[in-house]
Amino acid sequence: MKVAKEAQAKQIIIYANQDGYEPFAEWMDNLRDQQGKRRILQRLRRLEQGNYGDVAPIGDGLSELRMFFGSGYRVYFGEDAENIVVVLCGGEKSTQNQDIESAKGYWKEYLSHEKF
């Protein structure tokens, strides 16, 4: 009998560059779809509980949360240790390739910071 693995709670942090710029926060602030915003935040709350839902790897140790509403929203993230999820940026299906490249750049920059 296979036993279901219990979801492990995660700490979600929003990536900010050295100047304090938060690509994900800016994307959310500019998103006009209010219902979509609520659903994206709800999805992040589920992720915080360890429930990833529909996720796909995008390379360089990163993944995207795929959402099948609105314009096909995506939230790009990396995992730092077992319990920390770093939300890098968001986007839509139509800008997926550019968003993935941005996420990889943000992740590389995040990893280059010294950990205290």
Side-chain angles (χ1 to χ4, degrees):
M1 184 168 116
K2 192 173 184 178
V3 178
K5 185 179 172 189
E6 188 173 321
Q8 180 183 2
K10 305 289 180 181
Q11 176 186 352
I12 294 185
I13 61 174
I14 304 300
Y15 162 81
N17 72 9
Q18 290 181 315
D19 298 327
Y21 170 66
E22 298 177 347
F24 177 75
E26 180 177 308
W27 176 70
M28 285 292 284
D29 287 345
N30 292 321
L31 197 60
R32 292 189 184 129
D33 177 2
Q34 294 303 311
Q35 182 178 2
K37 269 188 190 183
R38 284 190 298 275
R39 291 179 72 181
I40 291 166
L41 292 173
Q42 183 179 44
R43 180 75 184 274
L44 289 176
R45 282 191 293 275
R46 288 199 315 266
L47 178 61
E48 193 171 37
Q49 296 167 352
N51 179 2
Y52 285 71
D54 192 325
V55 171
I58 61 169
D60 294 353
L62 300 176
S63 301
E64 66 179 3
L65 290 177
R66 301 187 306 182
M67 293 168 250
F68 299 99
F69 55 85
S71 302
Y73 299 125
R74 304 290 194 262
V75 173
Y76 300 93
F77 68 94
E79 295 186 73
D80 189 359
E82 288 184 23
N83 63 335
I84 299 173
V85 173
V86 182
V87 175
L88 300 165
C89 59
E92 301 175 0
K93 181 68 177 162
S94 64
T95 58
Q96 186 174 24
N97 291 336
Q98 302 97 292
D99 297 332
I100 287 171
E101 290 308 308
S102 294
K104 288 178 178 181
Y106 298 142
W107 185 241
K108 186 175 182 180
E109 198 265 335
Y110 172 82
L111 293 175
S112 73
H113 291 273
E114 280 195 41
K115 304 283 193 264
F116 296 100

